[in-house]
């Protein structure tokens, strides 16, 4: 038998243990301070460019919440360094509207909250924006409608027409400031691109043997041409097409050689042929309408009639163009440098013909090789990033300007343009299978360049 002393000791130990346990169970738990606890709510109200997201701050982590909100990105775990929208408050739930998203794109969003310890994030939730329901022919129509609205409200002043062909369909035909489809409009130097087309056809038909043919060979009747030297004897047709004849012909100022030619009622050809030489042909680019006017006389010497008659036989009927006005001198010499007037709906047909490599409705009108040579950069103006105040120009072909590619271009293919005074344009954009035509009555340099600006800022930017 165990003694009384043993039982007393046992009871004392049990009592001590109970007292010890009681003290431990009543001790307060130690608080661990952390970043806030955050839950991300499901994203709702998703459209093409917006969505509503939110979160719930479940605890402050032991310190006051300094900032809370949502963050999003195309990355799987967005952070506040990507994109964020802050929301007032501390604990509890909240929502925020995200705007400026891209169409048909997968995004990840999560709620966050920050205290003095750091930032806590909820689990990332994924969502996808809707397809652009305003897209037609691969263009964001909202941007096109915005452009039309800006023109109508005179944000781009003095515009008379805007036409866009996409995938061989006329998708925009708008007229402004009192103009209409059947009103003929001056083309100014867009005429030069029509003249170039005639030269290409004349070569294919055998009326002209080559662009390397020397121009004096076409004028044996003139036996006393002034300022004659080896440089003048060397001028070729391609030097006229690329504005590198080497003559002193110039324009754009009062009483320029071009002003003097325009004032003559006869003798446009000999006036040009008599000009002094300033450079070896083919070496210096100098904008020169006189050489393009001379091309009509070259056609007359081989075909038998001037360019207007040639076009009436080999170009305009094939394109269905019947409303035609030429400015001519008293000899019937048409001003092939800038004297053609057409309806804009007919003017754009030249761009479509060149876009389709010289074929119109299944019939070849211009050789494809001529189209390619016309769009070749015979004159490289890339080094001059603001040639003549035109930041988009990169070079010159056979009476076609070469413009830089659009901002969304994936191939870096150039845009090709016919360009005339007062703001007349045909833009050919092969990468997007698109042609744009604009007519204007611009009286300032800014208004003259506006079609270039809105081509890049609105039309090309609308490509999806």
């Amino acid at each position: 038998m165990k003694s009384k002393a043993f039982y007393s000791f046992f009871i004392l130990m049990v009592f001590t243990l109970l007292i010890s346990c009681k003290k431990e169970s009543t001790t307060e738990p130690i608080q661990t301070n952390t970043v806030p606890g955050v839950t991300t709510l499901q994203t709702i109200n998703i459209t093409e460019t917006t969505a509503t997201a939110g979160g719930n701050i479940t605890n402050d982590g032991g310190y006051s919440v300094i900032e809370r909100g949502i963050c999003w990105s195309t990355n799987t775990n967005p952070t506040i360094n990507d994109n964020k929208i802050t929301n007032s408050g501390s604990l509890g739930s909240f929502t925020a509207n995200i705007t400026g998203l891209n169409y048909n794109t997968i995004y990840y969003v999560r709620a966050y909250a920050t205290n003095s310890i750091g930032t806590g994030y909820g689990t990332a939730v994924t969502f996808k924006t809707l397809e652009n329901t305003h897209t037609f022919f691969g263009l964001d129509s909202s941007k096109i409608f915005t452009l039309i609205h800006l023109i109508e409200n005179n944000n781009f002043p003095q515009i008379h027409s805007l036409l866009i062909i996409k995938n061989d369909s006329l998708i925009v035909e708008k007229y402004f400031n009192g103009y209409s489809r059947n009103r003929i409009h001056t083309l100014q130097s867009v005429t030069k691109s029509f003249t170039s087309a005639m030269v290409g056809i004349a070569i294919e038909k055998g009326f002209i043997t080559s662009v390397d043919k020397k121009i004096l060979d076409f004028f044996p009747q003139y036996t006393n041409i002034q300022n004659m030297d080896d440089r003048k004897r060397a001028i070729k047709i391609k030097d006229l097409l690329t504005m590198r004849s080497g003559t002193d012909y110039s324009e754009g100022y009062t009483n320029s050689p071009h002003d003097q030619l325009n004032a003559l009622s006869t003798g446009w050809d000999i006036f040009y042929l008599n000009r002094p030489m300033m450079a070896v042909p083919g070496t210096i680019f100098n904008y020169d309408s006189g050489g393009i006017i001379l091309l009509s006389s070259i056609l007359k010497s081989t075909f038998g009639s001037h360019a207007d008659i040639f076009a009436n036989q080999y170009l305009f009927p094939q394109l269905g163009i019947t409303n035609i006005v030429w400015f001519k001198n008293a000899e019937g010499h048409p001003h092939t440098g800038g004297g053609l007037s057409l309806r804009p709906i007919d003017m754009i047909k030249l761009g479509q013909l060149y876009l389709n490599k010289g074929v119109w409705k299944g019939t070849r009108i211009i050789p494809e090789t001529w189209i390619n040579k016309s769009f070749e950069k015979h004159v490289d103006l890339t080094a001059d990033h603001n040639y003549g105040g035109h930041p988009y120009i990169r070079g010159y072909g056979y009476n076609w300007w070469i413009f830089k590619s659009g901002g969304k271009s994936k191939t870096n293919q150039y845009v090709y343009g016919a360009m005339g005074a007062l703001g007349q344009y045909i833009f050919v954009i092969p990468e997007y299978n698109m042609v744009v035509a604009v007519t204007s009555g611009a009286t300032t340099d800014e208004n003259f360049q506006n079609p270039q600006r809105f081509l890049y800022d609105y039309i090309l930017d609308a490509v999806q």
Side-chain angles (χ1 to χ4, degrees), residues 293-307:
I293 295 169
L294 187 69
L295 288 172
S296 182
S297 289
I298 290 175
L299 280 173
K300 185 175 186 297
S301 72
T302 61
F303 171 64
S305 298
H306 271 293

Side-chain angles (χ1 to χ4, degrees), residues 189 191-192 195-196 199 219 240-241 243 249 251 257-264 267-273 288-300 306-307 326-329 331-339 399:
S189 286
T191 305
K192 293 179 172 68
T195 303
S196 177
V199 174
F219 301 99
L240 303 182
L241 293 168
M243 304 284 191
Y249 197 94
E251 52 196 277
H258 191 54
D259 281 357
Q260 295 174 43
L261 180 145
N262 286 337
L264 295 173
W268 286 352
D269 49 7
I270 191 60
F271 176 84
Y272 186 84
L273 293 171
D288 174 0
S289 295
I292 312 307
I293 295 169
L294 187 69
L295 288 172
S296 182
S297 289
I298 290 175
L299 280 173
K300 185 175 186 297
H306 271 293
W326 284 98
F327 173 70
K328 306 176 187 180
N329 68 10
E331 297 172 313
H333 186 158
H335 196 298
T336 45
N399 294 149

Side-chain angles (χ1 to χ4, degrees), residues 38-210:
V38 182
T39 301
T40 305
L41 302 179
Q42 188 64 42
T43 308
I44 58 174
N45 299 331
I46 302 169
T47 71
E48 298 100 321
T49 58
T50 65
T52 301
N56 184 42
I57 312 304
T58 57
N59 66 74
D60 59 12
Y63 292 91
S64 297
V65 171
I66 300 171
E67 180 181 290
R68 72 175 187 175
I70 59 171
C71 54
W72 77 96
S73 172
T74 54
N75 300 322
T76 54
N77 287 303
T79 71
I80 56 176
N81 293 321
D82 293 313
N83 305 283
K84 70 175 183 177
I85 298 176
T86 59
N87 188 277
S88 60
S90 54
L91 301 181
S93 61
F94 65 91
T95 59
N97 295 321
I98 309 173
T99 61
L101 302 175
N102 293 322
Y103 310 117
N104 196 32
T105 303
I106 296 174
Y107 288 95
Y108 298 85
V109 62
R110 55 181 179 170
Y112 77 89
T114 302
N115 62 16
S116 58
I117 297 296
T119 300
Y121 293 94
T123 302
V125 173
T126 183
F127 68 95
K128 184 177 182 180
T129 50
L130 303 180
E131 293 186 5
N132 182 12
T133 57
H134 301 292
T135 297
F136 73 132
F137 290 91
L139 299 178
D140 178 355
S141 63
S142 64
K143 293 180 180 178
I144 303 299
F145 291 143
T146 296
L147 171 59
I148 293 171
H149 176 76
L150 290 172
I151 296 173
E152 288 175 336
N153 286 275
N154 215 36
N155 294 88
F156 292 111
Q158 301 180 304
I159 300 296
H160 296 161
S161 70
L162 170 65
L163 292 82
I164 302 175
I165 290 175
K166 185 77 164 66
N167 301 337
D168 291 324
S169 295
L170 181 65
I171 62 173
V172 174
E173 183 185 5
K174 294 290 291 184
Y175 299 93
F176 312 93
N177 296 306
Y179 280 78
S180 61
R181 168 180 273 213
N182 290 324
R183 186 171 175 180
I184 284 180
H185 200 285
T186 176
L187 303 193
Q188 295 292 316
S189 286
V190 168
T191 305
K192 293 179 172 68
S193 299
F194 281 86
T195 303
S196 177
M198 294 181 220
V199 174
I201 296 170
I203 290 175
E204 190 270 335
K205 299 290 183 186
F207 296 113
I208 298 174
T209 57
S210 168

